[in-house]
Amino acid sequence: ETGVTQSPTHLIKTRGQQVTLRCSSQSGHNTVSWYQQALGQGPQFIFQYYREEENGRGNFPPRFSGLQFPNYSSELNVNALELDDSALYLCASSREGTPGDGYTFGSGTRLTVV
Amino acid sequence: GEDVEQSLFLSVREGDSSVINCTYTDSSSTYLYWYKQEPGAGLQLLTYIFSNMDMKQDQRLTVLLNKKDKHLSLRIADTQTGDSAIYFCAEWGYNFNKFYFGSGTKLNVKP
């Protein structure tokens, strides 16, 4: 059973650019959630995808968008990058209807915006 | 949204017990979790408790829940240097279907 894989592990972008982060879900999981963890903070919920549609969103602007594919993998896209977008982005996969202990987190993508 | 709060730092000596505290606000049926994060790594689930329980023990870890005060604690017995990390308390409920995390407690274990 494979876990959750995120790519890339690190990247550096310039303010104003766009970025795409990728997440492959664990085998048997059909839901993907994304979290942003700023330095020194706990993870904050961005959104969740189920059946290729957004299924809940946190307090993030529309320039944060996502996709889920038929194989349940997912992308997080951020447009018009700002310095405050620098953070660790965590993806978690789960099976719809399972409680939180059924979530598997990836190791994250560390995004630095300069 | 829900509010989960933790103290920021804890320093203990190797072999002592560590107690990390957390408060939360939701009063409905939820699950409460403890995650460990080592430098540069993702989140590792340590243990969890459902909100109708008082205590859960899992090897060196003991979780205590005071529902009246909405207070959760994680006790690590015989703390080792490998336990040095950031510990996050998190709340999850079916009615909101996402995690609310605290800001994390940095545990420093001195040899």
Side-chain angles (χ1 to χ4, degrees):
Chain A
E1 176 181 277
T2 58
V4 173
T5 304
Q6 292 188 241
S7 62
T9 54
H10 299 80
L11 77 166
I12 300 173
K13 289 286 189 178
T14 303
R15 189 171 50 181
Q17 284 187 315
Q18 178 265 344
V19 69
T20 297
L21 310 182
R22 295 178 174 83
C23 172
S24 63
S25 58
Q26 181 171 304
S27 176
H29 287 182
N30 56 11
T31 301
V32 174
S33 305
W34 287 90
Y35 287 79
Q36 180 196 64
Q37 185 180 9
L39 193 63
Q41 300 295 317
Q44 299 285 318
F45 176 72
I46 303 175
F47 44 52
Q48 183 185 85
Y49 275 82
Y50 171 61
R51 291 184 175 177
E52 303 177 46
E53 292 193 359
E54 190 179 285
N55 181 40
R57 187 180 184 93
N59 189 25
F60 282 82
R63 59 189 185 84
F64 284 77
S65 63
L67 285 172
Q68 186 181 31
F69 300 99
N71 67 353
Y72 308 119
S73 66
S74 177
E75 286 182 355
L76 164 65
N77 299 290
V78 187
N79 293 322
L81 284 166
E82 301 177 1
L83 297 179
D84 285 349
D85 296 333
S86 295
L88 179 68
Y89 288 85
L90 295 165
C91 160
S93 74
S94 60
R95 184 96 191 144
E96 167 67 9
T98 59
D101 51 290
Y103 284 59
T104 302
F105 280 88
S107 297
T109 294
R110 184 160 300 280
L111 171 64
T112 303
V113 182
V114 297
Chain B
E2 308 307 323
D3 196 16
V4 179
E5 295 193 357
Q6 305 177 233
S7 51
L8 293 181
F9 299 101
L10 177 64
S11 183
V12 301
R13 292 218 170 268
E14 192 173 23
D16 287 350
S17 290
S18 307
V19 179
I20 302 172
N21 296 300
C22 169
T23 57
Y24 62 98
T25 58
D26 188 81
S27 58
S28 62
S29 298
T30 58
Y31 292 79
L32 296 148
Y33 297 86
W34 286 103
Y35 281 90
K36 176 182 181 183
Q37 187 175 44
E38 296 182 85
L43 298 173
Q44 175 192 352
L45 176 63
L46 292 177
T47 187
Y48 67 96
I49 192 168
F50 188 57
S51 57
N52 68 351
M53 297 170 65
D54 298 321
M55 186 183 87
K56 181 177 181 181
Q57 187 156 2
D58 185 359
Q59 299 184 336
R60 290 192 298 125
L61 305 178
T62 302
V63 179
L64 293 177
L65 177 60
N66 180 326
K67 292 181 284 295
K68 174 176 169 290
D69 295 337
K70 297 189 177 62
H71 181 269
L72 181 74
S73 67
L74 173 69
R75 178 177 180 270
I76 305 173
D78 187 25
T79 312
Q80 302 297 307
T81 54
D83 295 323
S84 292
I86 300 176
Y87 290 80
F88 290 97
C89 169
E91 185 177 12
W92 188 95
Y94 280 107
N95 58 331
F96 42 88
N97 198 29
K98 60 189 170 192
F99 287 99
Y100 288 98
F101 286 89
S103 295
T105 299
K106 185 170 184 179
L107 175 63
N108 179 42
V109 183
K110 294 177 282 189

